[in-house]
Amino acid sequence: MKKLKIGLFGLGTVGSSVVDILKARKSELKKDGYEFILKRVCEKDLKKRRNLSLKRDLFAASPAKILNDPEIDVVIELIGGEHPARDIIDGALRNRKSVITANKKIVAEEGPALARKAKRGGRYFGFRAAITGCHIVMDQLVHGGPINSVVGVFNGTCNYILTRMKELGKEQEQVVKEAQKLGYAEKDPSEDIDGIDTEYKVRILSMLVFGFKPPGKRMLVEGIRGVALEDIRFADQLGYEIRLLGILNRSRDMMDVRVHPALVPQGTKFAMLRGVQNCIEIDDVLRGVGGTVYEGAGGTPAASAVIQDVIDAADGAPISWPSRGMVEEKLSLIPGGMIRSRYYLLFKALNRPGVLAGISSALAGNNINIAKVEQKEEEKRGLVPIVLITDSAIEANIRKALKRISQIDVIKGEPKLIRIFDAL
Ligand code: HSE
């Protein structure tokens, strides 16, 4: 029997699901040769404590009661944030305990170093829950390949917001409120809707799959805050849905790593995702291109990732990160201006002769070909929307053209740009 004693930090949505699953699967795990004992739980919030029927003596009065308990083999950190989570992880590794965490920020910043530290002490470092449901393809991410690209919808809350905006015909603000009521979006929803949550997951995947740590602030990260109902409507008329994508693409020694909303063609797997569903698509030289759809938000998907880590910790099967020395030195991040894409552009203009001529001359002057252009017959406050799709162009050129277009006096407000993702 492989026996592990667990110290758990955090009884939020994920933590309480972990407790439930450990209980519910106890006998099944025993039959498979595992005995996992929840020895101590640290949770300050009394309300969260009351929601679970755990014995009083299970609760640790302070983190030290878990970190210094020589009987505890594995520390599960599910409190999130930076502090005291970082101290808990460090303290547990220092005391030669295995660590399992869902902390995206910490793993995105220090995952490989923490894994090395755990390995040196003969312990396990598990972070499946930090990439949530896409951990189900962990084997391929770590051992498959070579992998050319990984593209995904990695944030359930954003996918929920975008699909509900379309279903209900409501603006983002109203739908965010609904997502908050359902417990998907936080009180402050910025980590999800500004793309930060996706950025963490993409950073982890970049290190895990390509051994490449995207440098500090240079990676392109845009969330969905700027996506309005009219964009979703216009995209639909053009045969697209809008999704928040995380993109990782290796081309020789350049890495294209970015997060942004994108128009995806209707009928493709990304377009078909509904609600909090996520999807990861991997282009693997040996296995071809394959996509996996999974539930992206909620307690149980992340808790099942934690349980998988507990099983691997018991088996002594560490998750290996690629040898960074081997790959990282050779790779560099593609400069933002060099990104190549097709673009959806939206302008608001006074309905005057010559507007389209001005726009097309600015685009042509920057070597950008227009694939489609439409002026909508829906004048609001004297302004008409002009929707335009370009052929593939270099981002630096698009930026130059947009600067020129926004200087045309009949164009009002900032032009809107959303990239189109149909192929890498
Ligand atoms: N807030 C995240 C999401 C939860 O909506 O996908 C899982 O990381």
Side-chain angles (χ1 to χ4, degrees):
M1 187 68 70
K2 292 172 184 167
K3 198 167 165 179
L4 286 181
K5 290 193 176 160
I6 297 169
L8 170 67
F9 286 87
L11 281 180
T13 328
V14 183
S16 47
S17 281
V18 167
V19 174
D20 287 343
I21 297 174
L22 283 175
K23 247 190 227 166
R25 290 186 59 190
K26 196 178 170 117
S27 60
E28 180 193 323
L29 284 163
K30 238 182 188 157
K31 275 188 212 138
D32 288 340
Y34 302 102
E35 190 180 358
F36 301 140
I37 301 155
L38 190 59
K39 171 123 198 272
R40 287 240 175 284
V41 178
C42 192
E43 169 59 66
K44 278 198 262 165
D45 186 339
L46 287 174
K47 219 164 79 197
K48 284 183 188 163
R49 287 166 57 158
R50 278 196 295 266
N51 287 345
L52 288 167
S53 52
L54 289 172
K55 284 189 204 130
R56 261 171 174 263
D57 62 358
L58 218 62
F59 288 99
S62 71
K65 285 268 183 289
I66 292 181
L67 299 177
N68 296 331
D69 182 341
E71 280 193 9
I72 288 180
D73 308 290
V74 183
V75 165
I76 302 180
E77 182 279 305
L78 300 174
I79 52 178
E82 251 192 301
H83 298 291
R86 202 173 282 265
D87 295 336
I88 288 167
I89 293 174
D90 285 342
L93 290 176
R94 216 171 25 247
N95 291 351
R96 298 185 50 125
K97 300 186 186 309
S98 291
V99 169
I100 293 169
T101 177
N103 201 306
K104 295 168 211 135
K105 186 170 197 297
I106 293 178
V107 180
E109 279 163 13
E110 294 170 43
L114 291 168
R116 277 196 297 270
K117 206 168 174 184
K119 198 173 170 188
R120 275 200 302 273
R123 294 295 177 266
Y124 178 87
F125 179 69
F127 55 91
R128 278 186 169 81
I131 51 170
T132 46
C134 74
H135 82 92
I136 52 183
V137 289
M138 186 68 98
D139 258 359
Q140 187 181 5
L141 292 171
V142 176
H143 304 295
I147 289 176
N148 294 321
S149 67
V150 176
V151 181
V153 166
F154 297 119
N155 186 275
T157 306
C158 286
N159 206 66
Y160 179 84
I161 291 168
L162 294 171
T163 50
R164 287 295 277 173
M165 281 170 75
K166 183 165 182 180
E167 279 166 23
L168 303 173
K170 286 188 177 167
E171 285 297 349
Q172 197 177 127
E173 249 174 51
Q174 292 164 282
V175 177
V176 167
K177 280 191 194 129
E178 187 189 276
Q180 283 167 324
K181 264 191 216 142
L182 289 169
Y184 296 140
E186 301 288 328
K187 206 165 146 205
D188 172 6
S190 44
E191 190 149 305
D192 289 318
I193 66 179
D194 291 328
I196 302 161
D197 174 85
T198 305
E199 176 186 354
Y200 291 146
K201 291 169 185 162
V202 163
R203 283 183 180 276
I204 296 169
L205 290 172
S206 182
M207 293 188 285
L208 194 62
V209 178
F210 300 99
F212 176 67
K213 188 170 189 179
K217 297 206 182 310
R218 278 184 35 224
M219 181 179 148
L220 167 66
V221 179
E222 278 172 24
I224 62 163
R225 205 179 277 270
V227 177
L229 181 60
E230 64 182 0
D231 299 311
I232 293 177
R233 206 156 42 80
F234 296 148
D236 179 54
Q237 290 162 10
L238 292 159
Y240 294 92
E241 302 292 335
I242 301 182
R243 296 286 178 262
L244 180 66
L245 294 186
I247 297 171
L248 302 103
N249 183 38
R250 181 178 182 177
S251 172
R252 288 189 290 275
D253 53 358
M254 293 302 255
M255 279 298 302
D256 182 4
V257 188
R258 49 190 153 113
V259 173
H260 55 73
L263 270 69
V264 292
Q266 284 168 351
T268 57
K269 48 178 127 21
F270 295 131
M272 287 196 283
L273 299 174
R274 291 286 169 269
V276 294
Q277 280 183 324
N278 283 195
C279 173
I280 182 167
E281 183 185 86
I282 302 175
D283 177 355
D284 179 322
V285 172
L286 301 180
R287 303 179 206 194
V289 182
T292 307
V293 174
Y294 55 91
E295 285 302 303
T300 48
S304 81
V306 170
I307 302 295
Q308 184 60 52
D309 271 334
V310 178
I311 292 171
D312 277 7
D315 286 342
I319 306 167
S320 56
W321 298 74
S323 157
R324 291 187 28 207
M326 265 173 59
V327 206
E328 190 182 317
E329 283 162 27
K330 286 196 279 170
L331 295 174
S332 49
L333 187 70
I334 189 168
M338 294 299 288
I339 290 169
R340 199 168 243 293
S341 179
R342 294 173 66 222
Y343 295 86
Y344 154 98
L345 304 173
L346 172 66
F347 307 101
K348 297 286 173 67
L350 293 175
N351 200 358
R352 301 266 166 79
V355 178
L356 283 178
I359 293 174
S360 56
S361 130
L363 291 169
N366 284 289
N367 207 20
I368 298 155
N369 196 37
I370 298 172
K372 192 168 196 170
V373 62
E374 254 179 60
Q375 180 176 313
K376 304 282 177 190
E377 284 182 301
E378 35 185 275
E379 196 167 314
K380 248 193 227 159
R381 289 185 285 272
L383 297 175
V384 286
I386 297 169
V387 179
L388 196 145
I389 298 277
T390 74
D391 276 342
S392 176
I394 290 181
E395 186 127 342
N397 289 351
I398 285 279
R399 296 276 170 205
K400 275 190 255 166
L402 288 187
K403 202 167 167 202
R404 247 192 81 192
I405 294 169
S406 53
Q407 285 159 357
I408 302 174
D409 59 354
V410 287
I411 303 276
K412 303 293 172 195
E414 278 301 302
K416 170 91 56 86
L417 169 159
I418 306 178
R419 295 165 192 86
I420 298 176
F421 181 84
D422 26 28
L424 276 167

